[in-house]
Amino acid sequence: EYWNGGAWFQIHTFSPNLDGGVRGLFFGGDPSRDTNMDYITIPTRGNSIDFGDYPISNGTGARGVIASNTRGFGAGGESPSAGDSHNVIAKFDFSSTGSAIDFANLTFTMKGGAGCSNATRGIVTRGYGAPAIAREEIDFFTMATQQNAIDFGDLQSGASYLGCGTASPIRGVIITGRDTSGQANIIEFVTISTTGDATDFGDTPSVDNAVASCAGGNSTRGVIAGGGDSAITDITYITYASTGNAIKFGDLHTGNSYQAPASDRITLVTAGGTTPSNPTNRMDAIAIATGGTSTDFGDLTVSKTGMCGSSNGHGGLG
């Protein structure tokens, strides 16, 4: 409480720390369009623990962290029970373990699109929407209210299939992926608090570092790891407040693609993926500020690729 000179007021604060630190979650993925969810405590390295189940069998949903301080979300994906791609947004609470629930719907069906958020809004690009790969639509939803997503605008490139997303509290950054012409290494950004079309940000050093790569970061720097059909080792970074090309500053311990991200302000954790032909249960830790070679974090409960990731301490939260 504090005294303002005329009355006492309560100050409400929030800490993302649960059981010793920021919590990261990984869910869905292949093989078998899995429904399991794993969680980790990012500052405390070690193997993941079972969290619960995802409400729909799911592979390759929105690639990137979509979460507030309290809630995490998955959007879209490929599910045998819902056709080639679906529009479900699912929600879970970081503070408890248990199954995620159906929260709302996107305006489109999608799989392999990019996702990112600040503390209030989630941003989702369409990626692949049957029957076309080249889709430019962007949706947003308010994470505190259970309402369906709304149209935000469009990408310039129309190439977000197997792209990924990361964010500061102000900017959402989309690393684009594959379209009908093949692969693209374009980076675009939006201002999360507004609506409108995306703007060019720069490029990744290679198309492999854009397609099926993994992104996260703190409030000033975004980090992009691995990617491509050949499962490269490159780790690159961008600075949200400026525009420009991503810069290489490290390598994964082993080449990887289709990993899932979770990050606090210090560490980006990449989970699962393909190295390069088989799913893995390895998790790697990347130092966001300094780069270098990633280090072993621990193991998932099962080997998975094409998962989604989330955390309650990512860069979009400030």
Side-chain angles (χ1 to χ4, degrees):
E1 293 183 337
Y2 76 96
W3 177 257
N4 75 345
W8 287 97
F9 284 83
Q10 288 186 328
I11 302 172
H12 296 280
T13 61
F14 175 83
S15 171
N17 290 346
L18 298 169
D19 301 327
V22 170
R23 181 170 285 185
L25 266 79
F26 308 109
F27 47 95
D30 286 312
S32 303
R33 304 293 187 266
D34 210 286
T35 61
N36 84 294
M37 303 174 69
D38 283 4
Y39 79 94
I40 57 172
T41 302
I42 295 177
T44 307
R45 301 191 183 194
N47 296 337
S48 67
I49 301 170
D50 180 69
F51 185 91
D53 293 310
Y54 205 68
I56 186 168
S57 59
N58 211 53
T60 318
R63 298 179 51 76
V65 177
I66 307 172
S68 69
N69 289 313
T70 57
R71 294 175 166 181
F73 299 86
E78 186 172 12
S79 172
S81 62
D84 183 69
S85 56
H86 65 82
N87 67 346
V88 174
I89 302 170
K91 181 210 77 161
F92 51 87
D93 294 319
F94 288 106
S95 62
S96 63
T97 56
S99 298
I101 63 170
D102 188 339
F103 178 79
N105 294 324
L106 299 168
T107 66
F108 44 69
T109 62
M110 80 81 157
K111 63 180 180 182
C116 60
S117 76
N118 60 11
T120 57
R121 276 187 175 182
I123 303 290
V124 180
T125 69
R126 187 165 190 183
Y128 175 92
I133 290 177
R135 296 289 191 177
E136 72 280 357
E137 299 100 311
I138 307 171
D139 266 5
F140 80 94
F141 63 97
T142 302
M143 294 181 286
T145 60
Q146 193 164 356
Q147 296 179 340
N148 290 336
I150 301 169
D151 177 66
F152 185 98
D154 295 321
L155 292 168
Q156 289 187 8
S157 60
S160 68
Y161 180 50
L162 298 181
C164 57
T166 183
S168 72
I170 297 171
R171 284 184 170 178
V173 176
I174 306 301
I175 299 94
T176 63
R178 180 176 284 123
D179 65 8
T180 52
S181 64
Q183 298 182 346
N185 65 331
I186 300 167
I187 305 172
E188 301 185 30
F189 77 94
V190 296
T191 301
I192 298 175
S193 62
T194 65
T195 58
D197 295 343
T199 303
D200 182 66
F201 187 98
D203 299 317
T204 60
S206 67
V207 292
D208 282 338
N209 192 221
V211 177
S213 57
C214 175
N218 58 25
S219 60
T220 58
R221 174 174 284 187
V223 177
I224 309 162
D229 294 330
S230 59
I232 64 172
T233 63
D234 291 359
I235 301 172
T236 61
Y237 78 91
I238 57 171
T239 303
Y240 296 118
S242 62
T243 57
N245 297 336
I247 299 169
K248 180 173 178 178
F249 79 141
D251 287 284
L252 293 169
H253 176 270
T254 304
N256 203 349
S257 59
Y258 295 90
Q259 322 98 294
S263 65
D264 60 12
R265 276 70 164 180
I266 299 170
T267 305
L268 167 62
V269 180
T270 71
T274 301
T275 59
S277 58
N278 298 310
T280 180
N281 67 344
R282 181 183 170 101
M283 292 183 284
D284 269 47
I286 300 168
I288 295 170
T290 59
T293 301
S294 68
T295 57
D296 182 51
F297 186 95
D299 294 329
L300 295 167
T301 59
V302 292
S303 295
K304 300 283 286 294
T305 186
M307 295 183 296
C308 296
S310 195
S311 76
N312 64 329
H314 63 89
L317 303 180

